[in-house]
């Protein structure tokens, strides 16, 4: 399991790390392996433990349990100033009493780099983040985006093994944010440093990262490439947090090979791929864009259901309708308007439609094997339970 | 536009009135340092130096009698005035330095303590500020006398006991002033410094201390002023040492001469020169990078007010 130093596969590794604040468990037995040179995002709702995880890597917090390895060596107890890791703080934390260039050169000065060299390297770092000509200004004289660049340059100039970024774009407006996302990605590819990026913006995480770790309540629910996270969410939480998802619950009536058939009530039958055991209650997710709606009410069969249109909405390049199924469940169907003849254009609220999907669309998210009665199958299951189910399902 | 400028004019006038109210008494004080003894008092006076008249013989000097500069030399040659001023200045300077150092240490320690441990210290600090000074003075007197009975090398009532009293009060004050800024600063800047590889000592030197500088300067100046003109505590614990306020109060009993005005005017002039010099130095260092001159400058500006 342990690798010889110098021959390390991971820049950062969490082994069963737990961090508590009093009774609150901020990070709960987390395992995480960050590859060299990778852009990894920690994504999750407020309070799920993203910042706490980052602060443990930086050395501002110490884990209560577990092992933390940076570059293959144990980092527990090593103070922040002896770690080859730098942070871009959410609030930038620029030194207000120093000029821009002195801010950027601060770390090099601590290292004992000579003055001329310091200035040269800092100048280069400022060039990298495309902020030149403001070297002698105080941070307070810069705009938010410029301060953000200074903070980034100040960390990059150190050439750390790992760069930690805690919602670095949080304070910027949408347009500047988009620009900076592209910039950050460019810089990361240019310098080849491992980035660990904290955000609660899913679009940001999905568009920039090599891998995304979706966190909730102190645990990593899923760690995968952005495409996999979107196409194959493993838990209800991930399915719901990333993009939009329709949920249908029911009991597995049949299981043939790798297929299952779920009766969701009201004549709604779902057929999909996945390992579900017969008689268990399951929750199935289907993305709105994987569903189609046809006007009229032809025969209802597996993976199609009669529905009544409740409302219609134009979302720029998409049309979205909200429908009510025969079992009373409300779901959302979405269609690209780019298609030659958008069907939903001629659908109005109150119309009868047939909603259908192919058998690759349903995602099996949770499964409860019945003990006595499984009346709670309809019930909404809280996400931490989902995590437990998901992990038991795996083992 | 006219409305705006009328409002502006109104505010300017108001500001002018406030400044007159604040500084007119000082101007009058300085003016009367040049006042001659009254004509009636000078009738039959033989010598050359009018200001050598005893205090009860100079007549009414609260009205303008004519111009003279002799009070300045009279004040500077008075056997008790100048030494008392020097004593007061020495005590005030020492008290300011010691109290600010203690206050700084206490502020740094207390700000990051758990509330439970911090509470008793906070109570002690506030107590030294809210207990009436006369109570502290009596208590200090008894304490110092008793202590000397038991600890022979403890200094006699005098310079050092006055200093101790001043330090206790001003350290509490400095602690509050510095801690307010320290807490307001937050710890992200220090974390950023750690993150960039500077250890605790160099972080303190390069980040924390420069950021605290305005508060440190402000509390040193406040401490100096407070102890320079404090009367009650020194009056109880002075032994045979006389501070400037003590000398002045006792002089009131025999009648104050314009020599006091003259000395006050000299002190005022010295203070003004010092403040201007400091402001100039700070302005020059503003272009340099490793201090926090703007903040110091502005708090200094505030200090000139009193
Ligand atoms: N110093 C602390 N003392 C006590 N509780 C803390 C402390 N720091 C964090 N917590 C708690 O730990 C939990 C996780 O906090 P954390 O800051 O890691 O969340 P986050 O995922 O970064 O959220 P956000 O997106 O809002 O920044 C929260 O419930 C928070 O209240
Ligand atoms: Mg956070």
């Amino acid at each position: 399991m342990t690798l010889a130093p110098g021959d390390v596969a991971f820049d950062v590794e969490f082994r069963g790390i737990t961090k508590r604040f009093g009774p609150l468990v901020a990070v709960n037995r987390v395992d995480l392996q960050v590859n060299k040179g990778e852009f990894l995002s920690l994504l999750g709702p407020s309070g799920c433990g993203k910042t706490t995880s980052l602060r443990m890597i930086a050395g501002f917090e110490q884990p209560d349990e577990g092992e933390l390895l940076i570059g293959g060596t144990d980092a527990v107890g090593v103070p922040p100033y002896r770690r080859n890791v730098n942070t871009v703080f959410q609030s930038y934390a620029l030194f207000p009493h120093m000029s821009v260039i002195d801010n950027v050169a601060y770390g090099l000065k601590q290292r004992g780099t000579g003055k001329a060299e310091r200035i040269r390297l800092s100048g280069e770092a400022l060039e990298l983040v495309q902020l030149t000509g403001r070297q002698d200004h105080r941070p307070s004289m810069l705009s938010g985006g410029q301060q953000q660049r200074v903070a980034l340059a100040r960390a990059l100039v150190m050439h750390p093994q790992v760069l930690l970024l805690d919602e670095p774009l949080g304070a910027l407006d949408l347009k500047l944010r988009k620009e900076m996302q592209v910039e950050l990605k460019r810089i990361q590819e240019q310098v080849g440093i491992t980035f660990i990026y904290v955000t609660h913006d899913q679009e940001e995480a999905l568009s920039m990262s090599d891998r995304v770790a979706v966190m909730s309540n102190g645990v990593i629910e899923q760690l995968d490439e952005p495409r996999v996270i979107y196409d194959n969410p493993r838990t209800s939480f991930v399915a719901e947090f990333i993009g939009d998802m329709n949920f249908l619950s029911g009991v597995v009536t049949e299981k043939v090979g790798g297929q299952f058939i779920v009766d969701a009530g009201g004549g709604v039958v779902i057929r999909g791929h996945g390992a579900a055991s017969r008689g268990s209650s399951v929750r199935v997710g289907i993305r709105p864009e994987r569903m189609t709606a046809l006007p009229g009410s032809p025969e209802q069969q597996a993976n199609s259901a009669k529905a009544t249109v409740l409302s219609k909405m134009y979302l720029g390049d998409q049309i979205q309708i909200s429908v009510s199924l025969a079992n009373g469940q409300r779901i959302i169907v979405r269609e690209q308007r780019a298609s030659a003849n958008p069907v939903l254009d001629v659908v109005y609220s109150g119309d009868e439609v047939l909603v259908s999907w192919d058998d690759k669309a349903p995602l099996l998210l949770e499964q409860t094997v019945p003990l006595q009665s499984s009346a709670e199958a309809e019930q909404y299951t809280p996400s931490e339970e989902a995590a437990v189910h998901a992990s038991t399902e795996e083992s | 536009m006219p409305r705006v400028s009328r409002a502006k004019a109104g505010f300017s006038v108001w500001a002018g009135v406030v400044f007159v109210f604040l500084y007119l008494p000082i101007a009058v004080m300085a003016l009367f340092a040049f006042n001659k003894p009254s004509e009636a008092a000078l009738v039959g006076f033989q010598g050359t130096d009018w200001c050598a008249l005893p205090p009860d013989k100079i007549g009414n000097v609260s009205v303008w009698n004519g111009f003279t500069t002799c009070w300045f030399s009279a004040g500077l040659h008075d056997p008790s005035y100048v030494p008392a001023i020097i004593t007061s200045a020495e005590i005030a300077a020492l008290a300011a330095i010691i109290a600010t150092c203690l206050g700084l240490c206490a502020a740094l320690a207390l700000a990051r303590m758990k509330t439970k441990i911090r509470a008793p210290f906070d109570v002690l600090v506030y107590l030294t500020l809210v207990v009436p000074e006369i109570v502290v003075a009596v208590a200090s007197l008894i304490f110092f006398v008793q202590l000397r009975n038991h600890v022979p090398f403890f200094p006699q009532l005098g310079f050092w006991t006055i200093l101790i009293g001043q330090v206790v009060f001003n350290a509490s004050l400095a602690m509050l002033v510095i801690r307010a800024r320290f807490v307001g600063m937050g710890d992200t800047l220090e974390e950023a410094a750690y993150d960039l590889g500077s250890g605790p000592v160099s972080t303190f030197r390069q980040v924390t201390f420069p950021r605290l500088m305005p508060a440190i300067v402000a509390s040193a100046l406040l401490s100096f002023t407070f102890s320079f003109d404090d009367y009650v505590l020194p009056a109880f614990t002075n032994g045979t040492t006389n501070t400037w306020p003590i000398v002045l109060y006792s002089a009131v009993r025999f009648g104050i001469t314009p020599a006091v005005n003259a000395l006050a005017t000299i002190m005022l002039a010295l203070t003004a020169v010092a403040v201007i010099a400091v402001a100039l130095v700070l302005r020059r260092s503003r272009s340099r990078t490793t201090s926090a001159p703007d903040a110091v400058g502005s708090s200094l500006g505030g200090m000139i007010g009193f």
Side-chain angles (χ1 to χ4, degrees), chain B:
Chain B
M1 286 319 263
R3 252 179 67 200
V4 173
S5 57
R6 211 179 307 154
K8 207 174 162 191
F11 276 120
S12 306
V13 170
W14 178 246
V17 170
V18 170
F19 276 111
V20 167
F21 180 78
L22 278 177
Y23 290 107
L24 192 62
I26 296 178
V28 169
M29 187 271 313
L31 178 69
F32 276 77
F34 299 94
N35 196 7
K36 271 201 316 197
S38 69
E39 291 300 332
L42 291 178
V43 171
F45 179 71
Q46 302 299 328
T48 51
D49 185 7
W50 298 321
C51 301
L53 279 171
D56 54 337
K57 299 264 163 55
I58 57 174
N60 185 5
V61 286
S62 59
V63 293
W64 186 249
N65 301 316
F67 182 84
T68 178
T69 54
C70 67
W71 293 118
F72 284 84
S73 93
L76 291 172
H77 288 104
D78 187 283
S80 58
Y81 287 178
V82 173
I85 290 175
I86 290 174
T87 306
S88 276
E90 281 172 354
I91 290 175
L94 275 175
I97 292 168
I98 299 171
T100 305
C101 289
L102 288 178
L104 175 63
C105 297
L108 295 178
L110 286 180
R112 303 228 161 126
M113 267 184 195
K114 285 193 191 123
T115 323
K116 247 187 219 161
I117 310 175
R118 197 181 65 206
F121 288 102
D122 270 348
V123 169
L124 284 180
V125 165
Y126 284 111
L127 267 185
T128 58
L129 296 178
V130 298
V131 171
E133 200 184 346
I134 190 85
V135 176
V136 178
V138 173
S140 301
L141 175 62
I142 297 169
F143 175 73
F144 290 145
V145 170
Q146 289 296 324
L147 197 62
R148 181 151 170 89
N149 287 345
H150 299 287
V151 185
F153 55 82
F154 188 79
Q156 256 179 324
L157 289 181
F159 185 92
W160 296 106
T161 52
I162 298 173
L163 180 64
I164 292 171
Q166 296 302 337
V167 165
V168 169
F169 178 85
N170 287 307
S172 299
L173 186 85
M175 200 283 269
L176 289 182
V177 171
I178 296 172
R179 187 171 74 184
R181 180 161 174 100
F182 187 54
V183 170
M185 251 164 56
D187 35 14
T188 36
L189 285 184
E190 287 177 37
E191 285 187 347
Y194 285 143
D195 192 71
L196 292 165
S198 60
V201 176
S202 68
T203 297
F204 180 78
R205 196 169 46 79
Q206 296 177 80
V207 176
T208 318
F209 189 72
R211 297 294 297 148
L212 287 179
M213 208 51 204
I216 291 172
V217 170
S219 60
L221 289 177
L222 274 177
S223 300
F224 183 90
T225 317
F226 281 169
S227 50
F228 187 78
D229 65 6
D230 189 21
Y231 174 73
V232 180
L233 198 52
F236 277 77
T237 57
N238 66 335
T240 56
T241 307
N242 281 328
T243 64
W244 176 232
I246 291 174
V247 168
L248 273 189
Y249 274 100
S250 52
V252 170
R253 259 178 280 156
F254 308 105
I256 289 184
T257 68
V260 172
N261 294 34
L263 290 176
T265 306
I266 292 174
M267 284 192 273
L268 188 70
L270 288 178
T271 314
V273 168
V275 167
I276 291 169
V278 170
L280 284 180
V281 169
L282 289 180
R283 175 163 325 162
R284 192 171 310 161
S285 75
R286 187 168 300 193
S287 53
R288 272 189 265 126
T289 51
T290 41
S291 63
D294 358 41
V296 178
S298 56
S299 61
L300 252 186
M303 307 298 298
I304 301 172
F306 63 81

Side-chain angles (χ1 to χ4, degrees), chain A residues 55 58 60 80-81 83 85-87 89 91 93-99 102-103 106-107 109-110 138 154-155 158, chain B residues 188-200 202-203 206-207 210-211 285-294:
Chain A
R55 288 172 61 82
F60 300 128
Y81 45 89
R83 296 185 183 208
V85 163
N86 288 103
T87 309
F89 293 84
S91 53
L94 299 176
F95 304 122
H97 56 293
M98 297 181 196
S99 67
D102 284 348
N103 263 283
Y106 185 90
K109 191 172 163 196
Q110 311 312 312
R138 288 287 166 88
R154 185 175 70 173
M158 304 293 286
Chain B
T188 36
L189 285 184
E190 287 177 37
E191 285 187 347
Y194 285 143
D195 192 71
L196 292 165
S198 60
S202 68
T203 297
Q206 296 177 80
V207 176
R211 297 294 297 148
S285 75
R286 187 168 300 193
S287 53
R288 272 189 265 126
T289 51
T290 41
S291 63
D294 358 41

